[in-house]
Amino acid sequence: MIPPAFEYTRPHSVEDAVRTLADAGEDAKVLAGGQSLLPLLRMRLAFPELVVDVGRIPGLRGVREEGDALVVGALTTHHDVIADPLARRHAGLLAEAAATVADPAIRHRGTLGGSLAHADPGGDLPAVALALDAELVAVGPEGQRVVPAREFFVDFLQTALRPDELLVEVRIPKTGESDGWGFHYEKFSRVAQAWAMVGVAALVRREDGHIAEARIGLTNMGSTPLRASAAEEALAGAGPDGVARAAQSAAEGTRPAAEPGVSAEYRAQLARVLTRRSVLAAAGMG
């Protein structure tokens, strides 16, 4: 299908992009890697009057360390996250989950910032950002604003970003194996490379053979990515035998959607099963 007509501009700096977005208001859409926006345009599910292509703005790509945090530029592609040694060392969950996104062509074009700003609850990386306790940095006319991931995802395809703000980077507390954390991302899809029917991102810190702390992000269990808070609490102090019991509470507080061939209860059961598998793998107990 042919997209509706729109104006196109390519700003060359963050400041130019913010001015353009402020002038256009809600009539503009940001184009980064294009792997989320372009299908919406082709299917006529989005009708922007202006497309703002930020893909060549310098300084928004790459991974760096800042103290106890890893900073990932919003235009960093999934492929670059997977290949980056700092990401693999200090945000292994992000690198592992990025490797499961769609196919190589999309991983080479799609960006971390674009995936998070798109806020599809069926996407892999929003739930990972939640589990990582990431912070998202936006720039608008009034300057820089930091939004915790738990406050960023508002509703289906909706975020806390204002129409005149641009997501510029993601800050992630270091949670790699070298920092004492185990991690695992597991999802179930109908067919290879499809959206996850359910996905589970697990981060686990062990002490004396037991789980000292667990963080679990859920993909496609509601209108936004979610944390499995009840399961996280139940996992505190658990050994291998306690993981299965704790995983039974993974779907508490969620509202998975039903669709033809997939009931809400089926998704809830998937969440319980995948949580058990992911936590055991992350804790090295599987």
Side-chain angles (χ1 to χ4, degrees):
M1 187 177 291
I2 299 173
F6 55 82
E7 297 294 323
Y8 170 89
T9 186
R10 180 185 288 167
H12 298 288
S13 69
V14 171
E15 293 75 18
D16 287 344
V18 168
R19 279 194 297 269
T20 301
L21 291 172
D23 290 342
E26 296 185 357
D27 294 326
K29 286 287 187 182
V30 173
L31 174 69
Q35 303 308 295
S36 298
L37 179 59
L38 292 181
L40 292 180
L41 293 174
R42 285 197 295 266
M43 291 186 289
R44 298 206 168 203
L45 297 175
F47 298 87
E49 293 186 7
L50 176 66
V51 170
V52 183
D53 185 350
V54 301
R56 297 188 184 181
I57 293 179
L60 298 186
R61 196 181 300 269
V63 182
R64 68 182 189 275
E65 291 181 85
E66 282 190 8
D68 292 332
L70 200 68
V71 182
V72 185
L75 293 182
T76 307
T77 66
H78 307 316
H79 171 77
D80 288 345
V81 168
I82 298 164
D84 190 272
L86 287 176
R88 294 200 306 270
R89 185 179 309 125
H90 297 300
L93 178 62
L94 177 63
E96 183 176 275
T100 74
V101 172
D103 55 45
I106 289 178
R107 292 195 290 271
H108 276 79
R109 291 288 300 171
T111 64
L112 174 60
S115 176
L116 299 182
H118 185 53
D120 192 322
D124 300 293
L125 301 187
V128 172
L130 271 185
L132 289 168
D133 279 344
E135 294 180 330
L136 293 91
V137 182
V139 173
E142 298 177 0
Q144 191 179 93
R145 187 166 70 102
V146 179
V147 184
R150 64 182 177 275
E151 300 173 8
F152 186 78
F153 305 103
V154 175
D155 204 342
F156 182 72
L157 302 184
Q158 296 181 32
T159 73
L161 279 175
R162 298 165 186 156
D164 57 1
E165 286 184 321
L166 180 67
L167 180 62
V168 295
E169 64 186 28
V170 182
R171 297 177 177 269
I172 302 169
K174 293 179 179 177
T175 51
E177 291 179 342
S178 61
D179 306 296
W181 291 84
F183 54 85
H184 187 69
Y185 182 70
E186 186 154 345
K187 65 181 179 180
F188 182 83
S189 304
R190 282 194 180 100
V191 295
Q193 303 173 356
W195 292 103
M197 192 177 296
V198 174
V200 176
L203 269 173
V204 173
R205 183 172 58 83
R206 288 182 63 185
E207 289 180 359
D208 301 323
H210 292 79
I211 294 173
E213 182 180 358
R215 301 185 208 157
I216 301 169
L218 300 176
T219 293
N220 231 351
M221 287 296 290
S223 61
T224 66
L226 298 170
R227 285 278 288 266
S229 301
E232 291 176 351
E233 293 177 7
L235 283 165
D241 295 339
V243 171
R245 290 192 297 272
Q248 289 302 304
S249 58
E252 289 186 14
T254 66
R255 292 184 177 180
E259 57 187 71
V262 184
S263 67
E265 178 49 40
Y266 182 68
R267 275 202 163 98
Q269 178 61 12
L270 274 177
R272 292 187 280 267
V273 171
L274 296 180
T275 295
R276 176 179 57 81
R277 292 179 184 174
S278 293
V279 170
L280 287 173
M285 296 175 174

